[in-house]
PDB file of all heavy atoms in Angstrom:
ATOM      1  N   SER A  74     -34.019  71.088 -40.104  1.00 95.00           N
ATOM      2  CA  SER A  74     -33.956  71.912 -41.306  1.00 95.00           C
ATOM      3  C   SER A  74     -34.367  73.351 -40.970  1.00 95.00           C
ATOM      4  O   SER A  74     -35.143  73.590 -40.039  1.00 95.00           O
ATOM      5  CB  SER A  74     -34.895  71.339 -42.367  1.00 95.00           C
ATOM      6  OG  SER A  74     -34.983  72.202 -43.477  1.00 95.00           O
ATOM      7  N   ALA A  75     -33.855  74.262 -41.771  1.00 94.00           N
ATOM      8  CA  ALA A  75     -34.316  75.647 -41.671  1.00 94.00           C
ATOM      9  C   ALA A  75     -35.693  75.784 -42.307  1.00 94.00           C
ATOM     10  O   ALA A  75     -36.431  76.718 -42.006  1.00 94.00           O
ATOM     11  CB  ALA A  75     -33.314  76.586 -42.353  1.00 94.00           C
ATOM     12  N   GLY A  76     -36.053  74.820 -43.164  1.00 95.00           N
ATOM     13  CA  GLY A  76     -37.358  74.854 -43.838  1.00 95.00           C
ATOM     14  C   GLY A  76     -38.324  73.836 -43.226  1.00 95.00           C
ATOM     15  O   GLY A  76     -39.033  74.111 -42.263  1.00 95.00           O
ATOM     16  N   VAL A  77     -38.356  72.620 -43.797  1.00 96.00           N
ATOM     17  CA  VAL A  77     -39.283  71.568 -43.390  1.00 96.00           C
ATOM     18  C   VAL A  77     -38.478  70.316 -43.044  1.00 96.00           C
ATOM     19  O   VAL A  77     -37.531  69.970 -43.759  1.00 96.00           O
ATOM     20  CB  VAL A  77     -40.278  71.254 -44.537  1.00 96.00           C
ATOM     21  CG1 VAL A  77     -41.206  70.125 -44.155  1.00 96.00           C
ATOM     22  CG2 VAL A  77     -41.081  72.502 -44.899  1.00 96.00           C
ATOM     23  N   ALA A  78     -38.906  69.610 -41.973  1.00 96.00           N
ATOM     24  CA  ALA A  78     -38.196  68.399 -41.548  1.00 96.00           C
ATOM     25  C   ALA A  78     -39.189  67.326 -41.133  1.00 96.00           C
ATOM     26  O   ALA A  78     -40.266  67.623 -40.610  1.00 96.00           O
ATOM     27  CB  ALA A  78     -37.250  68.713 -40.394  1.00 96.00           C
ATOM     28  N   GLY A  79     -38.786  66.065 -41.365  1.00 96.00           N
ATOM     29  CA  GLY A  79     -39.600  64.923 -40.934  1.00 96.00           C
ATOM     30  C   GLY A  79     -38.696  63.762 -40.570  1.00 96.00           C
ATOM     31  O   GLY A  79     -37.685  63.525 -41.217  1.00 96.00           O
ATOM     32  N   ALA A  80     -39.051  63.048 -39.522  1.00 96.00           N
ATOM     33  CA  ALA A  80     -38.247  61.907 -39.076  1.00 96.00           C
ATOM     34  C   ALA A  80     -39.171  60.813 -38.563  1.00 96.00           C
ATOM     35  O   ALA A  80     -40.245  61.087 -38.021  1.00 96.00           O
ATOM     36  CB  ALA A  80     -37.281  62.335 -37.980  1.00 96.00           C
ATOM     37  N   ALA A  81     -38.720  59.580 -38.734  1.00 96.00           N
ATOM     38  CA  ALA A  81     -39.492  58.437 -38.257  1.00 96.00           C
ATOM     39  C   ALA A  81     -38.546  57.372 -37.715  1.00 96.00           C
ATOM     40  O   ALA A  81     -37.425  57.227 -38.196  1.00 96.00           O
ATOM     41  CB  ALA A  81     -40.334  57.848 -39.380  1.00 96.00           C
ATOM     42  N   ALA A  82     -39.028  56.631 -36.728  1.00 96.00           N
ATOM     43  CA  ALA A  82     -38.304  55.490 -36.169  1.00 96.00           C
ATOM     44  C   ALA A  82     -39.282  54.334 -36.059  1.00 96.00           C
ATOM     45  O   ALA A  82     -40.378  54.491 -35.520  1.00 96.00           O
ATOM     46  CB  ALA A  82     -37.720  55.835 -34.809  1.00 96.00           C
ATOM     47  N   ILE A  83     -38.882  53.186 -36.584  1.00 96.00           N
ATOM     48  CA  ILE A  83     -39.752  52.008 -36.591  1.00 96.00           C
ATOM     49  C   ILE A  83     -38.959  50.821 -36.070  1.00 96.00           C
ATOM     50  O   ILE A  83     -37.813  50.610 -36.466  1.00 96.00           O
ATOM     51  CB  ILE A  83     -40.270  51.698 -38.015  1.00 96.00           C
ATOM     52  CG1 ILE A  83     -41.069  52.885 -38.550  1.00 96.00           C
ATOM     53  CG2 ILE A  83     -41.107  50.427 -38.021  1.00 96.00           C
ATOM     54  CD1 ILE A  83     -41.403  52.772 -40.024  1.00 96.00           C
ATOM     55  N   THR A  84     -39.577  50.042 -35.200  1.00 96.00           N
ATOM     56  CA  THR A  84     -38.968  48.791 -34.763  1.00 96.00           C
ATOM     57  C   THR A  84     -40.048  47.715 -34.675  1.00 96.00           C
ATOM     58  O   THR A  84     -41.168  47.971 -34.240  1.00 96.00           O
ATOM     59  CB  THR A  84     -38.223  48.959 -33.422  1.00 96.00           C
ATOM     60  OG1 THR A  84     -37.576  47.735 -33.107  1.00 96.00           O
ATOM     61  CG2 THR A  84     -39.136  49.352 -32.303  1.00 96.00           C
ATOM     62  N   VAL A  85     -39.692  46.534 -35.145  1.00 96.00           N
ATOM     63  CA  VAL A  85     -40.599  45.390 -35.127  1.00 96.00           C
ATOM     64  C   VAL A  85     -39.836  44.195 -34.563  1.00 96.00           C
ATOM     65  O   VAL A  85     -38.733  43.886 -35.031  1.00 96.00           O
ATOM     66  CB  VAL A  85     -41.128  45.049 -36.542  1.00 96.00           C
ATOM     67  CG1 VAL A  85     -42.018  43.814 -36.492  1.00 96.00           C
ATOM     68  CG2 VAL A  85     -41.877  46.226 -37.137  1.00 96.00           C
ATOM     69  N   ASN A  86     -40.418  43.541 -33.567  1.00 96.00           N
ATOM     70  CA  ASN A  86     -39.810  42.364 -32.944  1.00 96.00           C
ATOM     71  C   ASN A  86     -40.836  41.249 -32.872  1.00 96.00           C
ATOM     72  O   ASN A  86     -41.960  41.474 -32.420  1.00 96.00           O
ATOM     73  CB  ASN A  86     -39.338  42.693 -31.525  1.00 96.00           C
ATOM     74  CG  ASN A  86     -38.304  43.789 -31.521  1.00 96.00           C
ATOM     75  OD1 ASN A  86     -37.178  43.563 -31.904  1.00 96.00           O
ATOM     76  ND2 ASN A  86     -38.692  44.982 -31.099  1.00 96.00           N
ATOM     77  N   VAL A  87     -40.432  40.063 -33.293  1.00 96.00           N
ATOM     78  CA  VAL A  87     -41.311  38.900 -33.236  1.00 96.00           C
ATOM     79  C   VAL A  87     -40.558  37.765 -32.548  1.00 96.00           C
ATOM     80  O   VAL A  87     -39.425  37.448 -32.919  1.00 96.00           O
ATOM     81  CB  VAL A  87     -41.761  38.450 -34.645  1.00 96.00           C
ATOM     82  CG1 VAL A  87     -42.619  37.194 -34.561  1.00 96.00           C
ATOM     83  CG2 VAL A  87     -42.510  39.571 -35.348  1.00 96.00           C
ATOM     84  N   HIS A  88     -41.186  37.185 -31.563  1.00 95.00           N
ATOM     85  CA  HIS A  88     -40.621  36.037 -30.848  1.00 95.00           C
ATOM     86  C   HIS A  88     -41.643  34.914 -30.963  1.00 95.00           C
ATOM     87  O   HIS A  88     -42.716  34.991 -30.363  1.00 95.00           O
ATOM     88  CB  HIS A  88     -40.371  36.405 -29.386  1.00 95.00           C
ATOM     89  CG  HIS A  88     -39.394  35.507 -28.701  1.00 95.00           C
ATOM     90  ND1 HIS A  88     -39.613  34.180 -28.496  1.00 95.00           N
ATOM     91  CD2 HIS A  88     -38.176  35.777 -28.178  1.00 95.00           C
ATOM     92  CE1 HIS A  88     -38.586  33.659 -27.861  1.00 95.00           C
ATOM     93  NE2 HIS A  88     -37.692  34.611 -27.660  1.00 95.00           N
ATOM     94  N   ALA A  89     -41.349  33.885 -31.751  1.00 95.00           N
ATOM     95  CA  ALA A  89     -42.279  32.775 -31.989  1.00 95.00           C
ATOM     96  C   ALA A  89     -41.510  31.465 -31.873  1.00 95.00           C
ATOM     97  O   ALA A  89     -41.070  30.902 -32.868  1.00 95.00           O
ATOM     98  CB  ALA A  89     -42.931  32.907 -33.358  1.00 95.00           C
ATOM     99  N   SER A  90     -41.329  31.005 -30.666  1.00 95.00           N
ATOM    100  CA  SER A  90     -40.523  29.811 -30.410  1.00 95.00           C
ATOM    101  C   SER A  90     -41.363  28.714 -29.779  1.00 95.00           C
ATOM    102  O   SER A  90     -42.437  28.955 -29.249  1.00 95.00           O
ATOM    103  CB  SER A  90     -39.362  30.155 -29.469  1.00 95.00           C
ATOM    104  OG  SER A  90     -38.481  31.065 -30.084  1.00 95.00           O
ATOM    105  N   GLN A  91     -40.811  27.493 -29.831  1.00 96.00           N
ATOM    106  CA  GLN A  91     -41.454  26.368 -29.163  1.00 96.00           C
ATOM    107  C   GLN A  91     -40.465  25.770 -28.171  1.00 96.00           C
ATOM    108  O   GLN A  91     -39.309  25.515 -28.516  1.00 96.00           O
ATOM    109  CB  GLN A  91     -41.896  25.295 -30.147  1.00 96.00           C
ATOM    110  CG  GLN A  91     -42.657  24.165 -29.458  1.00 96.00           C
ATOM    111  CD  GLN A  91     -43.032  23.052 -30.399  1.00 96.00           C
ATOM    112  OE1 GLN A  91     -42.233  22.155 -30.641  1.00 96.00           O
ATOM    113  NE2 GLN A  91     -44.249  23.107 -30.929  1.00 96.00           N
ATOM    114  N   THR A  92     -40.931  25.562 -26.958  1.00 96.00           N
ATOM    115  CA  THR A  92     -40.145  24.898 -25.920  1.00 96.00           C
ATOM    116  C   THR A  92     -40.969  23.711 -25.441  1.00 96.00           C
ATOM    117  O   THR A  92     -42.124  23.861 -25.065  1.00 96.00           O
ATOM    118  CB  THR A  92     -39.864  25.863 -24.749  1.00 96.00           C
ATOM    119  OG1 THR A  92     -39.205  27.019 -25.268  1.00 96.00           O
ATOM    120  CG2 THR A  92     -38.999  25.213 -23.693  1.00 96.00           C
ATOM    121  N   ARG A  93     -40.332  22.510 -25.485  1.00 96.00           N
ATOM    122  CA  ARG A  93     -41.102  21.298 -25.175  1.00 96.00           C
ATOM    123  C   ARG A  93     -40.266  20.337 -24.330  1.00 96.00           C
ATOM    124  O   ARG A  93     -39.107  20.066 -24.647  1.00 96.00           O
ATOM    125  CB  ARG A  93     -41.547  20.610 -26.455  1.00 96.00           C
ATOM    126  CG  ARG A  93     -42.446  19.415 -26.216  1.00 96.00           C
ATOM    127  CD  ARG A  93     -43.021  18.817 -27.491  1.00 96.00           C
ATOM    128  NE  ARG A  93     -41.994  18.230 -28.330  1.00 96.00           N
ATOM    129  CZ  ARG A  93     -41.729  18.621 -29.567  1.00 96.00           C
ATOM    130  NH1 ARG A  93     -42.407  19.590 -30.115  1.00 96.00           N
ATOM    131  NH2 ARG A  93     -40.799  18.026 -30.269  1.00 96.00           N
ATOM    132  N   ALA A  94     -40.875  19.818 -23.271  1.00 97.00           N
ATOM    133  CA  ALA A  94     -40.290  18.747 -22.466  1.00 97.00           C
ATOM    134  C   ALA A  94     -41.276  17.586 -22.491  1.00 97.00           C
ATOM    135  O   ALA A  94     -42.461  17.769 -22.193  1.00 97.00           O
ATOM    136  CB  ALA A  94     -40.043  19.213 -21.035  1.00 97.00           C
ATOM    137  N   THR A  95     -40.785  16.398 -22.866  1.00 95.00           N
ATOM    138  CA  THR A  95     -41.679  15.260 -23.069  1.00 95.00           C
ATOM    139  C   THR A  95     -41.096  13.990 -22.454  1.00 95.00           C
ATOM    140  O   THR A  95     -39.917  13.701 -22.623  1.00 95.00           O
ATOM    141  CB  THR A  95     -41.904  15.007 -24.574  1.00 95.00           C
ATOM    142  OG1 THR A  95     -42.446  16.177 -25.171  1.00 95.00           O
ATOM    143  CG2 THR A  95     -42.844  13.846 -24.813  1.00 95.00           C
ATOM    144  N   LEU A  96     -41.929  13.262 -21.781  1.00 94.00           N
ATOM    145  CA  LEU A  96     -41.620  11.910 -21.322  1.00 94.00           C
ATOM    146  C   LEU A  96     -42.629  11.016 -22.025  1.00 94.00           C
ATOM    147  O   LEU A  96     -43.830  11.116 -21.780  1.00 94.00           O
ATOM    148  CB  LEU A  96     -41.754  11.813 -19.799  1.00 94.00           C
ATOM    149  CG  LEU A  96     -41.450  10.473 -19.162  1.00 94.00           C
ATOM    150  CD1 LEU A  96     -39.994  10.094 -19.400  1.00 94.00           C
ATOM    151  CD2 LEU A  96     -41.742  10.539 -17.672  1.00 94.00           C
ATOM    152  N   ARG A  97     -42.138  10.174 -22.935  1.00 91.00           N
ATOM    153  CA  ARG A  97     -43.031   9.402 -23.801  1.00 91.00           C
ATOM    154  C   ARG A  97     -42.811   7.897 -23.570  1.00 91.00           C
ATOM    155  O   ARG A  97     -41.700   7.464 -23.312  1.00 91.00           O
ATOM    156  CB  ARG A  97     -42.740   9.758 -25.255  1.00 91.00           C
ATOM    157  CG  ARG A  97     -43.780   9.272 -26.239  1.00 91.00           C
ATOM    158  CD  ARG A  97     -43.477   9.712 -27.673  1.00 91.00           C
ATOM    159  NE  ARG A  97     -43.133  11.113 -27.820  1.00 91.00           N
ATOM    160  CZ  ARG A  97     -43.994  12.113 -27.973  1.00 91.00           C
ATOM    161  NH1 ARG A  97     -45.284  11.865 -27.979  1.00 91.00           N
ATOM    162  NH2 ARG A  97     -43.581  13.352 -28.124  1.00 91.00           N
ATOM    163  N   GLY A  98     -43.873   7.144 -23.700  1.00 88.00           N
ATOM    164  CA  GLY A  98     -43.813   5.697 -23.555  1.00 88.00           C
ATOM    165  C   GLY A  98     -43.185   5.023 -24.760  1.00 88.00           C
ATOM    166  O   GLY A  98     -42.845   5.664 -25.755  1.00 88.00           O
ATOM    167  N   ASN A  99     -43.045   3.702 -24.657  1.00 86.00           N
ATOM    168  CA  ASN A  99     -42.461   2.906 -25.732  1.00 86.00           C
ATOM    169  C   ASN A  99     -43.496   1.892 -26.201  1.00 86.00           C
ATOM    170  O   ASN A  99     -43.751   0.908 -25.513  1.00 86.00           O
ATOM    171  CB  ASN A  99     -41.203   2.196 -25.224  1.00 86.00           C
ATOM    172  CG  ASN A  99     -40.490   1.450 -26.323  1.00 86.00           C
ATOM    173  OD1 ASN A  99     -41.025   1.217 -27.404  1.00 86.00           O
ATOM    174  ND2 ASN A  99     -39.257   1.050 -26.032  1.00 86.00           N
ATOM    175  N   PRO A 100     -44.089   2.103 -27.389  1.00 83.00           N
ATOM    176  CA  PRO A 100     -45.121   1.174 -27.852  1.00 83.00           C
ATOM    177  C   PRO A 100     -44.569  -0.228 -28.145  1.00 83.00           C
ATOM    178  O   PRO A 100     -45.321  -1.197 -28.144  1.00 83.00           O
ATOM    179  CB  PRO A 100     -45.666   1.828 -29.116  1.00 83.00           C
ATOM    180  CG  PRO A 100     -44.632   2.805 -29.543  1.00 83.00           C
ATOM    181  CD  PRO A 100     -43.871   3.199 -28.324  1.00 83.00           C
ATOM    182  N   ASP A 101     -43.246  -0.348 -28.354  1.00 86.00           N
ATOM    183  CA  ASP A 101     -42.652  -1.656 -28.654  1.00 86.00           C
ATOM    184  C   ASP A 101     -42.294  -2.446 -27.392  1.00 86.00           C
ATOM    185  O   ASP A 101     -41.975  -3.624 -27.463  1.00 86.00           O
ATOM    186  CB  ASP A 101     -41.391  -1.475 -29.498  1.00 86.00           C
ATOM    187  CG  ASP A 101     -41.707  -0.856 -30.853  1.00 86.00           C
ATOM    188  OD1 ASP A 101     -42.818  -1.105 -31.372  1.00 86.00           O
ATOM    189  OD2 ASP A 101     -40.858  -0.106 -31.373  1.00 86.00           O
ATOM    190  N   ASP A 102     -42.302  -1.771 -26.236  1.00 85.00           N
ATOM    191  CA  ASP A 102     -41.962  -2.426 -24.982  1.00 85.00           C
ATOM    192  C   ASP A 102     -42.998  -2.048 -23.920  1.00 85.00           C
ATOM    193  O   ASP A 102     -42.855  -1.028 -23.241  1.00 85.00           O
ATOM    194  CB  ASP A 102     -40.559  -2.009 -24.532  1.00 85.00           C
ATOM    195  CG  ASP A 102     -40.121  -2.730 -23.270  1.00 85.00           C
ATOM    196  OD1 ASP A 102     -40.895  -3.560 -22.736  1.00 85.00           O
ATOM    197  OD2 ASP A 102     -38.997  -2.451 -22.804  1.00 85.00           O
ATOM    198  N   PRO A 103     -44.034  -2.859 -23.748  1.00 79.00           N
ATOM    199  CA  PRO A 103     -45.085  -2.522 -22.787  1.00 79.00           C
ATOM    200  C   PRO A 103     -44.596  -2.535 -21.330  1.00 79.00           C
ATOM    201  O   PRO A 103     -45.267  -2.026 -20.453  1.00 79.00           O
ATOM    202  CB  PRO A 103     -46.161  -3.584 -23.026  1.00 79.00           C
ATOM    203  CG  PRO A 103     -45.450  -4.712 -23.696  1.00 79.00           C
ATOM    204  CD  PRO A 103     -44.301  -4.117 -24.442  1.00 79.00           C
ATOM    205  N   ASN A 104     -43.418  -3.104 -21.075  1.00 83.00           N
ATOM    206  CA  ASN A 104     -42.881  -3.131 -19.712  1.00 83.00           C
ATOM    207  C   ASN A 104     -41.994  -1.931 -19.404  1.00 83.00           C
ATOM    208  O   ASN A 104     -41.549  -1.767 -18.269  1.00 83.00           O
ATOM    209  CB  ASN A 104     -42.084  -4.423 -19.489  1.00 83.00           C
ATOM    210  CG  ASN A 104     -42.991  -5.638 -19.565  1.00 83.00           C
ATOM    211  OD1 ASN A 104     -44.098  -5.624 -19.037  1.00 83.00           O
ATOM    212  ND2 ASN A 104     -42.526  -6.674 -20.236  1.00 83.00           N
ATOM    213  N   ALA A 105     -41.696  -1.106 -20.397  1.00 86.00           N
ATOM    214  CA  ALA A 105     -40.856   0.070 -20.170  1.00 86.00           C
ATOM    215  C   ALA A 105     -41.577   1.038 -19.239  1.00 86.00           C
ATOM    216  O   ALA A 105     -42.761   1.303 -19.401  1.00 86.00           O
ATOM    217  CB  ALA A 105     -40.524   0.750 -21.486  1.00 86.00           C
ATOM    218  N   ARG A 106     -40.825   1.534 -18.257  1.00 90.00           N
ATOM    219  CA  ARG A 106     -41.438   2.472 -17.322  1.00 90.00           C
ATOM    220  C   ARG A 106     -40.345   3.325 -16.694  1.00 90.00           C
ATOM    221  O   ARG A 106     -39.167   3.036 -16.791  1.00 90.00           O
ATOM    222  CB  ARG A 106     -42.243   1.754 -16.265  1.00 90.00           C
ATOM    223  CG  ARG A 106     -41.440   1.010 -15.238  1.00 90.00           C
ATOM    224  CD  ARG A 106     -42.377   0.306 -14.255  1.00 90.00           C
ATOM    225  NE  ARG A 106     -41.757   0.054 -12.982  1.00 90.00           N
ATOM    226  CZ  ARG A 106     -40.879  -0.898 -12.726  1.00 90.00           C
ATOM    227  NH1 ARG A 106     -40.481  -1.698 -13.698  1.00 90.00           N
ATOM    228  NH2 ARG A 106     -40.376  -1.049 -11.526  1.00 90.00           N
ATOM    229  N   VAL A 107     -40.796   4.371 -16.039  1.00 93.00           N
ATOM    230  CA  VAL A 107     -39.912   5.224 -15.261  1.00 93.00           C
ATOM    231  C   VAL A 107     -40.285   5.019 -13.801  1.00 93.00           C
ATOM    232  O   VAL A 107     -41.432   5.233 -13.415  1.00 93.00           O
ATOM    233  CB  VAL A 107     -40.059   6.710 -15.664  1.00 93.00           C
ATOM    234  CG1 VAL A 107     -39.263   7.598 -14.739  1.00 93.00           C
ATOM    235  CG2 VAL A 107     -39.628   6.901 -17.108  1.00 93.00           C
ATOM    236  N   ASP A 108     -39.307   4.592 -13.013  1.00 94.00           N
ATOM    237  CA  ASP A 108     -39.514   4.334 -11.593  1.00 94.00           C
ATOM    238  C   ASP A 108     -38.487   5.176 -10.831  1.00 94.00           C
ATOM    239  O   ASP A 108     -37.283   4.941 -10.948  1.00 94.00           O
ATOM    240  CB  ASP A 108     -39.318   2.844 -11.308  1.00 94.00           C
ATOM    241  CG  ASP A 108     -39.651   2.475  -9.869  1.00 94.00           C
ATOM    242  OD1 ASP A 108     -39.902   3.385  -9.057  1.00 94.00           O
ATOM    243  OD2 ASP A 108     -39.648   1.271  -9.568  1.00 94.00           O
TER     244      ASP A 108
END
Side-chain angles (χ1 to χ4, degrees):
S74 173
V77 177
I83 300 170
T84 184
V85 177
N86 299 287
V87 177
H88 200 296
S90 295
Q91 184 183 85
T92 303
R93 185 173 66 240
T95 302
L96 181 63
R97 193 177 313 274
N99 185 345
D101 296 329
D102 183 0
N104 295 318
R106 72 181 204 284
V107 173
D108 186 353

